[in-house]
């Protein structure tokens, strides 16, 4: 199942491997929403999906709660703003119009994602979306993906929270999957970025949770990540790194899938 958004690091192409490591449970908890590829390609009874990026969570809530109005507004944006000049006009409105209704803001976020350079979600330190124009001939409007997402979202709770707050909400029966910004790669998906201290803090919290719940983590395959997840079972996989067809041949890089659950640990 494809996703609404283009997303650097989306798990859509890795699901055949990742699914092997995701056990059954009452609810899947994801503190790093990203493109929601894992949500869309699994079948848990319920989901808790969170992210620190309010634009991302607003998009998902609007699609869930106002599917038809969202499609109408977003499709109009796609049809009426086909030039580079109009892209930057939409981006300026998105960044500086404080009175913009949440539904329209969500539609603009989708428009900027599909029309921006390689679909990157990028902000400057002032919190302004700053991805340049992508110059695509005919950006894809993800109608089928929006409708599928809206249906799946009815069993999903979306929260705009940091990872530590989200992980505090884990309860018995949950499965935890974390796909943080990868170590050593682009991490400016939101204003604050994601530092090595964040990586280490996340690993420590997950180690504690793994005493009670299954925990699965994706990250870059580096000496640093292998160190902080040394108490986990590690599987090395290879995944594509490029976003968008204009990038030439897809670059591939090594990743790890780290898995731990106390009942399975030696």
């Amino acid at each position: 199942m494809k996703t609404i958004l283009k997303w650097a690091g989306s798990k859509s192409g890795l699901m055949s491997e990742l699914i092997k490591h995701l056990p059954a449970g009452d609810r899947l908890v994801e503190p790093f929403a990203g493109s929601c590829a894992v949500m869309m390609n699994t079948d848990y009874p319920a989901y808790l999906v969170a992210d620190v990026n309010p634009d991302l969570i607003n998009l998902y809530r609007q699609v869930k709660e106002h599917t038809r109005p969202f499609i109408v507004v977003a499709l109009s944006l796609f049809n009426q703003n086909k030039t580079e000049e109009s892209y930057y006009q939409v981006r300026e409105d998105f960044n500086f119009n404080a009175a913009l209704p949440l539904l329209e803001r969500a539609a603009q976020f989708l428009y900027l994602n599909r029309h921006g350079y390689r679909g990157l979600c990028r902000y400057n330190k002032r919190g302004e979306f700053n991805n340049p124009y992508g110059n695509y001939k005919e950006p894809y409007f993800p109608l089928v993906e929006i409708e599928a997402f809206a249906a799946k979202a009815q069993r999903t709770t979306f929260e705009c929270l940091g990872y530590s707050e989200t992980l505090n909400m884990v309860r018995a029966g949950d499965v935890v999957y974390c796909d943080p910004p990868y170590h050593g790669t682009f991490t400016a998906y939101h204003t604050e970025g994601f530092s090595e201290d964040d990586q280490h803090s996340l690993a420590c919290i997950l180690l504690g949770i793994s005493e009670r719940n299954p925990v699965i983590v994706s990250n870059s395959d580096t000496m640093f990540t292998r160190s902080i997840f040394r108490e986990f079972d590690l599987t090395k996989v290879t995944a594509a790194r490029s976003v968008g067809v204009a990038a030439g041949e897809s670059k591939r890089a090594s990743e790890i899938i780290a898995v731990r659950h106390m009942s399975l640990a030696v």
Side-chain angles (χ1 to χ4, degrees):
M1 177 63 68
K2 294 182 180 179
T3 57
I4 296 173
L5 298 172
K6 292 183 181 181
W7 201 259
S10 172
K11 290 297 164 289
S12 294
L14 199 61
M15 282 308 304
S16 60
E17 179 62 34
L18 186 58
I19 202 76
K20 301 173 187 176
H21 303 278
L22 293 169
D26 298 332
R27 182 176 69 160
L28 183 68
V29 177
E30 287 194 75
F32 303 93
S35 67
C36 283
V38 176
M39 181 189 108
M40 293 307 300
N41 287 279
T42 54
D43 193 24
Y44 287 88
Y47 295 85
L48 170 60
V49 175
D51 201 276
V52 73
N53 186 336
D55 295 323
L56 192 62
I57 296 301
N58 178 54
L59 169 67
Y60 293 151
R61 285 175 172 168
Q62 296 301 321
V63 171
K64 174 185 177 179
E65 298 166 12
H66 309 290
T67 312
R68 288 298 146 194
F70 174 82
I71 290 171
V72 170
V73 173
L75 188 57
S76 176
L77 270 174
F78 275 61
N79 289 336
Q80 296 178 19
N81 298 276
K82 294 180 177 290
T83 66
E84 181 174 359
E85 180 183 8
S86 61
Y87 173 85
Y88 287 110
Q89 288 173 346
V90 171
R91 196 181 77 172
E92 182 173 356
D93 194 43
F94 181 80
N95 283 329
F96 301 111
N97 184 356
L100 193 66
L102 290 176
L103 180 67
E104 291 185 24
R105 185 170 182 83
Q108 288 186 353
F109 186 68
L110 175 64
Y111 169 88
L112 293 170
N113 173 264
R114 287 285 172 176
H115 290 73
Y117 177 68
R118 296 178 68 182
L120 291 176
C121 182
R122 196 181 74 177
Y123 297 80
N124 62 26
K125 291 187 177 181
R126 295 187 298 274
E128 297 161 4
F129 189 89
N130 66 352
N131 195 31
Y133 181 60
N135 199 31
Y136 297 105
K137 183 176 181 181
E138 192 65 39
Y140 174 67
F141 185 76
L143 176 60
V144 173
E145 291 80 0
I146 291 170
E147 292 175 334
F149 183 94
K152 192 67 164 287
Q154 300 311 309
R155 50 177 141 147
T156 305
T157 300
F158 296 102
E159 298 287 354
C160 186
L161 297 170
Y163 64 88
S164 60
E165 297 169 291
T166 306
L167 292 171
N168 279 336
M169 301 169 70
V170 172
R171 62 196 185 205
D174 286 347
V175 175
V176 178
Y177 172 66
C178 287
D179 184 29
Y182 276 19
H183 176 246
T185 66
F186 172 76
T187 64
Y189 299 106
H190 197 53
T191 309
E192 298 303 321
F194 204 78
S195 67
E196 285 195 349
D197 285 345
D198 287 315
Q199 298 278 3
H200 190 267
S201 173
L202 173 64
C204 291
I205 294 171
L206 293 176
L207 185 62
I209 291 174
S210 71
E211 302 289 325
R212 309 177 303 276
N213 299 79
V215 173
I216 303 90
V217 191
S218 298
N219 213 312
S220 301
D221 185 3
T222 66
M223 290 181 64
F224 176 79
T225 57
R226 284 183 173 270
S227 174
I228 63 175
F229 291 112
R230 59 188 175 276
E231 300 295 331
F232 289 65
D233 293 326
L234 303 181
T235 300
K236 182 177 179 177
V237 295
T238 303
R241 274 287 188 271
S242 66
V243 178
V245 295
E249 290 189 15
S250 294
K251 296 179 181 179
R252 303 190 69 81
S254 294
E255 301 184 5
I256 54 169
I257 299 174
V259 180
R260 192 174 193 272
H261 185 204
M262 190 59 188
S263 65
L264 302 177
V266 176

